[in-house]
Amino acid sequence: MFAAVEHGPVLCSDSNILCLSWKGRVPKSEKEKPVCRKRYYEEGWLATGNSRGVVGVTFTSSHCRRDRATPQRVNFNLRGHNSEVVLVRWNEPFQKLATCDTDGGIFVWIQYEGRWSVELVNDRGAQVSDFTWSHDGTQALISYRDGFVLVGSVSGQRHWSSEINLESQITCGIWTPDDQQVLFGTADGQVIVMDCHGRMLAHILLHESDGIVSMSWNYPSFLVEDSSESDTDSDDYTPPK
C-alpha cells in the first residue's frame, strides 16, 4: 500500500500531527474467521496523535470501488490525554488502540457498538519512550526513558517489570518475531536483549557515537491467519446492480 499526502483544505489539521498508526479493517461478521489479506489491506483505520492531546481515528481506503459499504461513521476524535500524544499503536489481532502522551499517560481504547471508550489507563509519571504490541497481540512491551521496562497482557495484567540501570536513555523497544525475547535500543548505541520473563541475555554496543532511534524486523507486525476467500465474500460487499 502507498500513501499520498497532498496540500489542501480537506487534509489540514488545526494542530501538529505527531504520530501515525494504521490497521486493516475486519468486518463484523468475520471477527472469528481467518482474514482475507487482499481485502483486509484495502480498507482500514488511520490513528493520529496531535499536539493538543487529541487522538484522531479516520476510516481510509486504497480503492475506488463504489460497491463497498463504508462504516456509518468514518471519523472520531478521542479525548482524555492532558498533554501531547506522541505514540499511537494499533493492536490488530484484538482491534485495540494504545496511545501515549508526553506526561507518561497510556490509554488503551476499544470500539463497541460504534463508540470508542477507554478500557485501560496506566500512568507512572515517567515519559514513555516506546510501546509495542507482541506479534500475536496478547502482550504489550512498554519502555520508559528512565530505564524502567514492563511487559503486560492485553487485558492489563503485569507479567514482569525491570529497572535497567544505564547512563543512557532507552529510546525504543521491540519483540523478536517469535515473541520470546525483547530488545531495547539506547541513545548511546547499545542494544539490550532480554527473554520473555525479564532475564538479561545480552548487552551489545553497536554504535558508540550514534544513538539508536528505532528498530524494526523484516517481518509482519502481527500474525493474522490468512483466508482463501474471494474479494466478495463479506457482509460489507454489495453486488453491483
Side-chain angles (χ1 to χ4, degrees):
M1 174 180 287
F2 295 91
V5 179
E6 300 177 355
H7 293 289
V10 178
L11 299 173
C12 289
S13 172
D14 60 356
S15 59
N16 293 331
I17 295 176
L18 305 178
C19 49
L20 299 168
S21 182
W22 186 90
K23 78 172 182 70
R25 182 190 186 197
V26 178
K28 291 182 179 180
S29 66
E30 300 185 12
K31 293 291 186 181
E32 306 300 328
K33 296 180 182 180
V35 172
C36 177
R37 287 183 180 271
K38 179 180 179 181
R39 182 171 62 250
Y40 180 69
Y41 289 113
E42 285 186 345
E43 297 177 345
W45 294 90
L46 176 68
T48 63
N50 68 30
S51 58
R52 292 190 176 183
V54 178
V55 178
V57 179
T58 304
F59 179 73
T60 63
S61 65
S62 61
H63 63 80
C64 300
R65 296 177 55 176
R66 296 180 180 272
D67 55 5
R68 288 284 185 85
T70 58
Q72 187 174 7
R73 184 175 174 184
V74 297
N75 191 57
F76 299 85
N77 288 319
L78 313 184
R79 303 178 187 275
H81 289 283
N82 296 318
S83 59
E84 296 180 342
V85 178
V86 292
L87 288 172
V88 288
R89 298 285 189 271
W90 284 111
N91 183 328
E92 295 192 26
F94 288 84
Q95 299 291 288
K96 297 184 179 184
L97 175 65
T99 60
C100 309
D101 60 41
T102 53
D103 292 336
I106 302 173
F107 288 25
V108 176
W109 307 80
I110 57 171
Q111 187 179 26
Y112 179 71
E113 295 184 349
R115 295 177 178 271
W116 285 92
S117 60
V118 177
E119 182 185 47
L120 299 169
V121 177
N122 186 316
D123 187 357
R124 59 178 296 267
Q127 190 171 0
V128 178
S129 59
D130 206 356
F131 184 109
T132 310
W133 296 104
S134 58
H135 294 85
D136 62 4
T138 62
Q139 300 181 88
L141 171 64
I142 309 172
S143 53
Y144 293 85
R145 293 192 180 277
D146 62 2
F148 186 80
V149 296
L150 180 152
V151 169
S153 71
V154 68
S155 60
Q157 297 176 328
R158 180 179 298 195
H159 289 171
W160 60 266
S161 60
S162 180
E163 192 82 36
I164 301 177
N165 296 317
L166 295 172
E167 295 181 358
S168 181
Q169 291 182 337
I170 293 178
T171 56
C172 54
I174 191 173
W175 294 87
T176 54
D178 60 2
D179 291 334
Q180 295 303 302
Q181 297 177 2
V182 293
L183 284 71
F184 301 99
T186 70
D188 61 356
Q190 300 180 67
V191 173
I192 299 167
V193 184
M194 304 178 75
D195 68 12
C196 59
H197 302 292
R199 291 187 290 264
M200 184 75 70
L201 299 179
H203 193 159
I204 306 165
L205 178 61
L206 290 184
H207 305 283
E208 187 173 0
S209 58
D210 298 322
I212 299 173
V213 177
S214 63
M215 296 185 292
S216 179
W217 293 100
N218 182 19
Y219 189 80
S221 298
F222 292 101
L223 303 177
V224 180
E225 186 180 358
D226 202 1
S227 168
S228 59
E229 295 178 6
S230 69
D231 188 39
T232 60
D233 293 337
S234 170
D235 59 346
D236 288 347
Y237 175 78
T238 303
K241 297 181 180 180

